[in-house]
Amino acid sequence: TRSSQFLNLLSDSEYKGKLPSWLVDENDERIPSDPKERMSEQAVSKKNDEEYYLPKCLVVVSHYAFFDVFRKFLQQLYRIYTCGVSPLPLERFIANFVNDVPLPPEGRSKVQWECFTRGFMIEIFRPPPNQLPLVNFSFHPLFNTLSVTNILVVWGCLLKEGRVALCSKYHSLLTPVAEALLCLLFPLEWQGIYIPVLPSSMLDVLDAPLPFLVGLDSMYLRNRMD
């Protein structure tokens, strides 16, 4: 355009004065009069066109301890997302799992779900109330972190509705250890406060005159003792 040719002419001539106020670009937008300002805006525009990649984290939150089911679901989701050949967006797979997969009734039926790819089946079931509870995880973390003597001591405190706080610097151990201890109470059920991972903003729960089973970072315990 004429305005662009005029700007190029001024740039070649190293003109440093102000441009006329009537000079506008093709989009009818006012062009900066200062050549340095024009160069700065061009640099900003070029920077805005760059692509940035941010890490993404998916967390499954549920009332039910289907740890193995959730692990397989996330693994399958990761495989589909990283292969880059899926015709559907990631959100469609998540919506299918959350909205379309039913929760089976206790002890009545099982749900077999083909997890996104042919032949990869996931079975979801819940035992009836009068049978052993659902153990959809390993007891290895419990027996690997606590001795049999300490497990019996904690188990006795839970039977007497005491106050138990599990402390570890590894947050991933708190939930499987707490769930395993609750399974050992069968046929009884824990009726006290149960928070597998207690946030620092809720440390006042430790002063409650009620039975509780909580898990917390060992750092919080050291700070509280100091």
Side-chain angles (χ1 to χ4, degrees):
T1 62
R2 294 181 179 180
S3 59
S4 300
Q5 295 175 357
F6 185 73
L7 288 174
N8 292 333
L9 180 62
L10 292 178
S11 300
D12 295 338
S13 63
E14 298 183 356
Y15 174 75
K16 298 182 180 180
K18 292 186 177 182
L19 298 178
S21 59
W22 50 265
L23 188 58
V24 295
D25 64 357
E26 297 176 349
N27 297 325
D28 199 29
E29 294 180 355
R30 185 68 60 185
I31 295 179
S33 58
D34 190 354
K36 294 183 178 180
E37 185 178 352
R38 295 199 307 272
M39 295 178 61
S40 176
E41 289 191 0
Q42 291 176 359
V44 172
S45 177
K46 183 178 180 181
K47 186 176 181 181
N48 292 336
D49 293 338
E50 297 178 355
E51 294 184 359
Y52 296 91
Y53 296 91
L54 299 176
K56 180 181 293 186
C57 177
L58 298 179
V59 180
V60 179
V61 181
S62 175
H63 293 284
Y64 307 98
F66 296 118
F67 294 104
D68 189 59
V69 173
F70 297 150
R71 178 180 59 82
K72 292 179 179 179
F73 163 71
L74 292 175
Q75 287 178 346
Q76 191 72 350
L77 206 62
Y78 176 78
R79 295 190 188 102
I80 294 174
Y81 188 71
T82 53
C83 70
V85 297
S86 173
L88 300 175
L90 182 66
E91 291 77 11
R92 290 289 299 273
F93 295 99
I94 299 175
N96 172 251
F97 177 71
V98 175
N99 299 324
D100 299 335
V101 180
L103 178 68
E106 294 183 343
R108 295 183 182 180
S109 60
K110 299 180 180 180
V111 173
Q112 288 187 338
W113 173 53
E114 192 173 47
C115 187
F116 307 140
T117 56
R118 183 174 299 177
F120 191 86
M121 303 296 298
I122 293 181
E123 188 177 78
I124 308 174
F125 70 94
R126 293 194 298 166
N130 58 345
Q131 291 187 9
L132 292 174
L134 174 65
V135 182
N136 197 233
F137 54 90
S138 174
F139 276 70
H140 179 75
L142 173 62
F143 288 93
N144 192 43
T145 54
L146 296 177
S147 64
V148 176
T149 302
N150 288 331
I151 292 175
L152 292 175
V153 171
V154 176
W155 183 64
C157 291
L158 294 177
L159 288 175
K160 294 185 292 185
E161 294 186 344
R163 295 181 290 176
V164 177
L166 305 174
C167 303
S168 175
K169 62 180 180 180
Y170 303 106
H171 293 178
S172 59
L173 288 176
L174 296 175
T175 298
V177 169
E179 287 289 335
L181 288 171
L182 293 183
C183 288
L184 295 178
L185 296 178
F186 182 82
L188 304 178
E189 293 185 4
W190 179 252
Q191 301 296 324
I193 300 174
Y194 176 51
I195 308 176
V197 182
L198 184 69
S200 58
S201 59
M202 297 180 59
L203 289 179
D204 293 339
V205 173
L206 300 177
D207 297 326
L210 301 171
F212 60 73
L213 173 60
V214 299
L216 65 157
D217 194 309
S218 55
M219 177 187 63
Y220 300 145
L221 182 61
R222 290 194 300 267
N223 295 338
R224 192 177 182 86
M225 295 179 64
D226 295 339

